[in-house]
């Protein structure tokens, strides 16, 4: 599996098509009791206005029980929560999942060390989706 981190973003390659990757990720989230708040189809919306964009979808999810204490301790993180995973296809047709590094969010918002665990699980969820 190919993975890289740049500018606070972690990019993980998927061996599956974008629809398969999203289906796996959503099933994992639901099986863990996480709430999927929204699925934004950027490429679908672009198509509606006559523009062409490679498949790009944003999944917004989380757990109020885990996220709320983080927002209480570091209110500015509310701009980055709930958690998000961007599912996108590159020019070669390869599927990717990208998310904000928990360490980047910790530094960006000054999250207390003991609360980083509340948002750190995103990496494991993404890794499971691309297995």
């Amino acid at each position: 599996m190919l993975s890289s981190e740049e500018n606070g973003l972690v990019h993980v390659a998927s061996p599956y098509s974008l629809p398969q990757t999203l289906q796996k990720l959503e099933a994992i989230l639901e099986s863990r009791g996480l709430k999927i708040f929204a699925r934004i189809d950027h490429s679908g919306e672009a198509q509606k206005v006559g523009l062409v964009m490679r498949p790009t979808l944003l999944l917004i999810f989380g757990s109020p029980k885990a996220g709320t204490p983080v927002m209480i301790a570091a209110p500015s993180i509310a701009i980055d929560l709930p958690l998000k995973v961007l599912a996108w296809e590159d020019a070669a047709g390869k599927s990717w999942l990208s998310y904000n590094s928990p360490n980047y969010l910790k530094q960006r918002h000054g999250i207390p060390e003991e609360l980083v665990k509340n948002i750190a699980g995103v990496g494991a969820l993404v890794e499971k989706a691309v297995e």
Side-chain angles (χ1 to χ4, degrees):
M1 176 208 47
L2 180 61
S3 177
S4 68
E5 185 172 339
E6 60 180 284
N7 298 322
L9 289 171
V10 179
H11 306 289
V12 181
S14 173
Y16 307 107
S17 71
L18 202 61
Q20 289 172 313
T21 301
L22 273 168
Q23 183 179 26
K24 284 189 72 171
L25 180 58
E26 288 178 346
I28 291 163
L29 296 175
E30 289 171 354
S31 76
R32 302 277 164 83
L34 296 170
K35 180 173 176 69
I36 296 174
F37 294 104
R39 184 179 187 186
I40 300 169
D41 183 353
H42 290 296
S43 49
E45 292 302 315
Q47 186 177 24
K48 289 178 185 177
V49 296
L51 299 172
V52 177
M53 180 180 189
R54 287 189 297 273
T56 306
L57 294 100
L58 182 67
L59 198 60
I60 302 172
F61 64 94
S63 161
K65 186 175 181 178
T68 302
V70 181
M71 289 186 277
I72 290 169
S76 67
I77 196 166
I79 198 162
D80 286 315
L81 291 182
L83 293 170
K84 298 164 191 69
V85 171
L86 181 66
W88 56 284
E89 193 175 276
D90 67 18
K94 182 141 191 72
S95 298
W96 293 85
L97 294 176
S98 299
Y99 62 92
N100 284 315
S101 157
N103 190 48
Y104 166 79
L105 293 175
K106 174 188 171 198
Q107 292 172 2
R108 182 176 189 200
H109 300 287
I111 300 169
E113 186 65 43
E114 67 274 10
L115 290 175
V116 174
K117 70 183 182 324
N118 291 30
I119 59 170
V122 65
L125 298 168
V126 166
E127 297 292 333
K128 185 102 176 121
V130 300
E131 284 182 344

